[in-house]
Structure formats: C-alpha cells, structure tokens
Amino acid sequence: MGIFARSVHNELMDPTAPVLTIDGPSGSGKGTISRRVADRLGWHYLDSGALYRAVGVSAGWADLDLSDPGALVRCAFDTRIEFRETAAHDLRILINGLDATDELRTETAGAAASAIAAIPEVRSALKEWQRNFRQLPGLVADGRDMGTVIFPDAVTKVFLTASAEERAERRYKQLKDKGVSVTLGDLLREILARDARDASRVVAPLRPADDAVCIDTTGMGIEAVVERVLSLVHR
Ligand code: DC
C-alpha cells in the first residue's frame, strides 16, 4: 500500500480507481477492519479521522482557540500531514515533519477533532486532500462521511455499528493494553458525547449513505467482519 509513503499534497486523484467506503461511529472497528481489508485487496488506505485529529493536534501545538473558526481553517490549510509506513508495516503520521502518531490517538485529540470537524470550512479544506488518496489499484476510505460526501460514487459502501457499551469496552481494552488509565464509565460517556456531536452537526453528519450496507458488529469477531466486507466488494 504505497499511500503511506507519500505526502497527501502531491498527486491528483484517479477517478478510475475503485473505492470502498467504511463509515461509522467511534469504536465501531472501522480502523482495524479498513486496514485489514485494504491489506487483503492490496488497495490504498485513507484514515480520514487522522486528518481531523492532525489539525486538532496542530491547533493545540499552536495554542489556537478551538472556538475560533478562522484560525482553525487557516491551520487546516497550513498543516503539513504525512503518512509513512515503516519497514515493520507500522503506520506513522507526521505533522509538520514531527512524528505525532501517539498523540493523535489520545482521547484529547479525538475530542478536538470532533469539535473542529463541525466547522464547514475545515471540512472543505480537507476535501481535496482526501479525494487525492483515490489512486489505482483502489482505495479503502475510513471515516464518517466517506460514502455520503467525499466518495459518493464509491462502488461499495459499508456502515459499521456496534452498541455503545461494546464500543466503550473495545476502547477500554485497547487503552489498558497500552497502559493508559481510564474508566469504562468515562469512556462510555465520551463515546456517547462524540456520537451525538458527530451525528447532529449541520455539515456532513455521521449517517449511512442511502446505498450503504449496514453491519452491526456487536458480538462479531474482526475476521468475520473482514470476510463480510470482502464478500461485498467481490459481489
Ligand atoms: O475516526 P476518528 O475517531 O479518528 O475521528 C475523529 C473525529 O474526527 C470524529 O469524532 C469526527 C471527525 N471525523 C469527521 O468528522 N469526518 C471524518 N470523515 C472522519 C473523522
């Protein structure tokens, strides 16, 4: 998957490349499923949430006020975001040349991303970047509005869900494995707040595209979901 090695600013999109969109709320397993499906297909992978997180982190570094839309839009245009894959297939994300991968995955970065993602001009600033990930042999795009706004002509659209309780538990296990101390109750509250904010914003709210296949992953293992998504692509 060459996409990791290049800067998102460079190439123009290839409209002949097929796209699979995987949208859904936080903790629905989009990231893991999308990466595995992209690996199996040999397609490129776009983690659109990482772009919003990167703008949030960059704004934090610059000490910008998260309630100042003008400053955030300038920040979205000015921030240089690069995806790099290491020899060990580890995806690293650089912001203005600095490795910010670990900071991007924190709850603080997620909450900042969700807040700035509600600003229409920030979404517009990131639109072309995201579309330029569309390159042959194909693209798996993971986010909230991949099937509705960014790639409305995608050949296959999937919307992943899972109960809020199961999503909080998955996140809890991930963070515990990383040695981060959090409580399940706090995570559940954070997930519900983020769902509400992402689903109620005026521009590109979180919702399945009309032609998306919805998969409820509650109680399903990762491999079962991967196989189900691949069967939709091959259909
Ligand atoms: O997928 P994620 O948790 O990394 O996304 C972080 C936030 O970014 C999410 O709460 C909402 C926003 N986002 C968005 O608005 N549109 C996208 N396509 C991806 C993420």
Side-chain angles (χ1 to χ4, degrees), residues 81-186:
I81 308 162
E82 291 165 79
F83 292 79
R84 294 230 176 116
E85 193 177 10
T86 65
H89 288 293
D90 190 18
L91 174 62
R92 309 302 298 178
I93 303 172
L94 279 65
I95 300 178
N96 298 334
L98 296 174
D99 190 328
T101 316
D102 296 332
E103 191 171 347
L104 283 174
R105 300 270 46 109
T106 61
E107 295 306 299
T108 313
S114 170
I116 61 157
I119 303 170
E121 293 84 354
V122 168
R123 303 199 73 83
S124 305
L126 297 180
K127 208 180 251 181
E128 277 321 294
W129 278 11
Q130 295 175 82
R131 290 194 171 144
N132 288 343
F133 276 81
R134 183 175 195 166
Q135 301 291 336
L136 288 169
L139 174 69
V140 178
D142 143 11
R144 303 291 189 290
D145 61 342
M146 298 295 100
T148 49
V149 176
I150 305 296
F151 302 109
D153 62 335
V155 281
T156 311
K157 298 181 186 177
V158 171
F159 193 83
L160 290 185
T161 55
S163 70
E165 288 73 18
E166 178 149 334
R167 288 186 283 129
E169 261 172 48
R170 289 177 188 168
R171 190 80 187 119
Y172 181 69
K173 280 196 197 118
Q174 271 176 358
L175 291 172
K176 230 173 95 186
D177 288 347
K178 280 195 206 152
V180 180
S181 133
V182 277
T183 70
L184 194 55
D186 281 349

